[in-house]
Amino acid sequence: MIPSTASVVVVGSINVDQLITIERHPLPGETLIGKSMEFLPGGKGANQAVAAAQLGAAVSLVGAVGRDAQAQVATAILTRAGVGLSAVHTVDGPTGLALVTVADDAENTIVVIPGANARMGADAVTAGSSDIAAAAVVVLQGEIPADGIDTAARLATGRVVLNLAPVIPVAAETIRRADPLVVNEHEAALVLAQVDPGAGIPATDEDLVARLRAWGVASVVLTRGAKGAICSDASGTTSVPSPVVSAVDSSGAGDAFVGALSARLAAGASLLDAARFAVRVGAFAVQGRGTQTSYPTLADTLPEVLA
């Protein structure tokens, strides 16, 4: 149970996901017949806000939607989960759209059209400054403009969780402000190349995490899908295994992880304990279709890591 005083503010994207299911992903130039299509709420910022709120944190979202019918689809589960939306702006133009294709092996491809999210620069983020400054944890991702991310990091007085996905060029100070930086293996390598171009290619995931820490990141959580995560801070570096489950759809599982991690950190948990909880939430999420629609609530039983 997470206290309702565990305040999390997410500054990030709000999308509608056009979810297409297909037997396998097409090769370049190939046409295949899909199995189904539906429109669901998504966006990394919205996903992480829903995940944290459904696990008991008090969550607000700073973001933008378009002046279109899709805005209602995009915010439906946010509203149901009790996420504060007073800092969500309505702007001229379309709501963000993600084209998500999920194959029978649960692997996905995603193409994002930013829409209203492209308007979340420094000025729009500054409009939410009071919420950001008051939060125990501020959560950021890479689906809004870099100056919006940099501004949110500067405004934060609490802990900053930076999930730099996709990896875009942000200020070095923003990455150093991360506690933790949450990235997968590929994203971690891109971040390292961005901050330390002469670093070379690390031999292992553990070496990659160590190099980011040595450069100046206070803590790192490297997510590894079914293999769990690597958690590293001043107390040490630990491999965190994931429960073994039958995956249906991996889209949004990383956002479920980040939301759960942030909720636990806001409640005062250590980074390692928060990561151990988050891998279980991520494993729960891959067992359902869609992003927000697959996230657990306090009423759900999470899978366990078997010894």
Side-chain angles (χ1 to χ4, degrees):
M1 188 73 176
I2 293 169
S4 60
T5 53
S7 61
V8 175
V9 168
V10 181
V11 183
S13 56
I14 306 170
N15 290 335
V16 170
D17 291 346
Q18 180 180 308
L19 177 64
I20 298 169
T21 58
I22 197 166
E23 183 178 350
R24 61 174 178 82
H25 293 294
L27 299 171
E30 183 181 20
T31 299
L32 297 177
I33 302 297
K35 299 166 94 174
S36 67
M37 184 189 76
E38 56 186 324
F39 290 95
L40 299 170
K44 293 187 71 64
N47 291 349
Q48 292 169 9
V50 167
Q54 290 189 170
L55 293 168
V59 183
S60 296
L61 178 61
V62 179
V65 294
R67 210 175 297 278
D68 58 6
Q70 295 289 52
Q72 192 168 15
V73 176
T75 57
I77 297 180
L78 286 163
T79 300
R80 191 172 73 206
V83 175
L85 302 178
S86 62
V88 172
H89 316 287
T90 300
V91 301
D92 291 333
T95 298
L97 176 67
L99 307 174
V100 184
T101 303
V102 181
D104 284 351
D105 63 2
E107 291 299 323
N108 66 79
T109 63
I110 304 174
V111 176
V112 176
I113 313 298
N117 298 309
R119 305 280 288 276
M120 285 304 298
D123 290 345
V125 170
T126 300
S129 61
S130 58
D131 285 352
I132 295 168
V137 173
V138 175
V139 187
L140 309 171
Q141 328 78 32
E143 287 187 342
I144 64 172
D147 64 334
I149 297 168
D150 292 337
T151 299
R154 285 195 300 271
L155 291 170
T157 61
R159 189 167 193 160
V160 173
V161 176
L162 175 60
N163 174 219
L164 198 55
V167 178
I168 62 173
V170 296
E173 294 78 11
T174 297
I175 298 174
R176 284 198 174 96
R177 187 77 173 78
D179 186 18
L181 172 69
V182 184
V183 281
N184 64 25
E185 307 100 305
H186 309 296
E187 293 156 355
L190 290 172
V191 173
L192 182 62
Q194 183 181 132
V195 299
D196 189 2
I201 301 173
T204 65
D205 290 345
E206 289 78 7
D207 185 31
L208 182 52
V209 169
R211 301 273 278 281
L212 286 166
R213 291 285 322 285
W215 175 80
V217 182
S219 61
V220 176
V221 176
L222 188 145
T223 59
R224 309 167 80 196
K227 293 188 291 185
I230 296 173
C231 177
S232 181
D233 62 8
S235 64
T237 299
T238 305
S239 179
V240 180
S242 174
V244 177
V245 297
S246 296
V248 171
D249 176 4
S250 62
S251 58
D255 294 334
F257 179 100
V258 172
L261 184 86
S262 302
R264 277 294 169 96
L265 290 175
S270 70
L271 183 62
L272 180 57
D273 284 346
R276 285 172 172 155
F277 176 67
V279 295
R280 297 173 62 206
V281 172
F284 181 99
V286 302
Q287 297 175 97
R289 291 212 176 274
T291 55
Q292 296 170 29
T293 51
S294 70
Y295 294 170
T297 68
L298 292 173
D300 290 307
T301 300
L302 300 177
E304 299 282 355
V305 176
L306 301 178

